[in-house]
């Protein structure tokens, strides 16, 4: 359903996801784990996490076939960041059962793209909500240092965490994604 989006639609979706997760308990000490492939939900998760100041951890859904590695990745991030809340976003329904087996040691919000069990929040229910005005949303954003954590193979059997300080262009990009900030004739 997300084949043709404007920057305005993308910006609205980012704000909606961020605000929807905040209303469910996400705060400035949240870590968002995105088990998504290259799809629009992945882009929305990335931008929402960074505009909210959350730690963002993209993990390919194929890694869920190895529960030991995934648990290691989750534990490495949660032990080093000590989050108040963890968000899991699953792109596929078949990943739900595997993600339900992950232990975080803190409150967890689970979001699924598509049909999901009652204990999970449908992605579309977050992205379809009304949003505050762009000014209110920007005021509510209390950005801490933005980090993305990528995992890479190493010389041992478990993946190694690579912390990336997110480029500051995201703070400049967010206002341009808000409704009404781009008019015909604007050049980028």
């Amino acid at each position: 359903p997300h084949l043709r989006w404007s920057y305005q639609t993308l910006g609205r979706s980012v704000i909606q996801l961020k605000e929807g997760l905040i209303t469910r308990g996400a705060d400035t000490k949240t870590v968002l784990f995105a088990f998504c492939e290259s799809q629009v939900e992945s882009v929305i998760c990335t931008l929402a996490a960074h505009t909210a100041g959350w730690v963002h951890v993209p993990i390919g859904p194929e890694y869920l076939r190895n529960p030991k590695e995934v648990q290691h990745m989750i534990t490495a991030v949660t032990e080093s960041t000590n989050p108040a809340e963890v968000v899991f976003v699953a792109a596929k329904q078949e990943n739900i059962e595997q993600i339900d087996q992950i232990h975080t040691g803190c409150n967890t919000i689970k979001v699924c793209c598509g049909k999901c069990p009652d204990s999970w929040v449908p992605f579309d229910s977050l992205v379809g909500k009304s949003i505050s005005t762009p000014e209110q949303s920007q005021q509510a954003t209390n950005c801490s240092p933005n980090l993305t954590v990528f995992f890479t193979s190493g010389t041992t059997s478990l993946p190694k965490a690579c912390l990336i300080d997110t480029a500051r262009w995201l703070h400049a990009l967010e206002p341009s994604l808000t409704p009404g900030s781009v008019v015909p004739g604007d050049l980028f």
Side-chain angles (χ1 to χ4, degrees):
H2 312 297
L3 296 178
R4 294 183 134 185
W5 279 23
S6 65
Y7 283 104
Q8 181 178 357
T9 303
L10 175 62
R12 188 176 317 123
S13 298
V14 168
I15 293 168
Q16 290 171 335
L17 179 62
K18 177 178 72 174
E19 290 185 358
L21 292 172
I22 289 170
T23 62
R24 284 171 174 73
D27 65 14
T28 57
K29 290 188 58 115
T30 295
V31 176
L32 188 147
F33 293 94
F35 292 92
C36 303
E37 294 176 22
S38 298
Q39 58 200 65
V40 71
E41 291 86 358
S42 178
V43 174
I44 294 168
C45 286
T46 300
L47 292 173
H50 291 308
T51 59
W54 304 331
V55 174
H56 172 252
V57 187
I59 300 176
E62 68 276 5
Y63 284 98
L64 289 167
R65 286 185 235 131
N66 188 332
K68 180 181 175 185
E69 283 189 5
V70 172
Q71 187 63 61
H72 166 75
M73 291 187 258
I74 303 299
T75 301
V77 173
T78 56
E79 284 181 354
S80 66
T81 60
N82 196 25
E85 199 82 32
V86 167
V87 175
F88 289 131
V89 178
K92 298 179 181 175
Q93 186 177 1
E94 59 261 22
N95 299 139
I96 290 174
E97 190 174 316
Q98 296 157 311
I99 293 171
D100 276 336
Q101 302 304 312
I102 298 170
H103 303 287
T104 64
C106 57
N107 295 328
T108 305
I109 302 168
K110 297 176 182 176
V111 180
C112 179
C113 304
K115 186 179 177 185
C116 53
D118 291 340
S119 60
W120 285 66
V121 179
F123 188 89
D124 288 341
S125 74
L126 296 173
V127 175
K129 300 264 183 198
S130 64
I131 60 172
S132 61
T133 63
E135 294 80 19
Q136 290 171 328
S137 178
Q138 288 173 357
Q139 290 172 355
T141 301
N142 181 11
C143 290
S144 58
N146 293 325
L147 292 176
T148 293
V149 181
F150 292 109
F151 283 87
T152 183
S153 60
T155 56
T156 64
S157 62
L158 295 175
K160 305 291 184 273
C162 300
L163 275 64
I164 309 296
D165 186 7
T166 306
R168 296 295 170 219
W169 66 268
L170 283 168
H171 296 296
L173 176 64
E174 181 185 16
S176 70
L177 294 176
T178 58
S181 64
V182 178
V183 294
D186 282 352
L187 300 174
F188 295 95

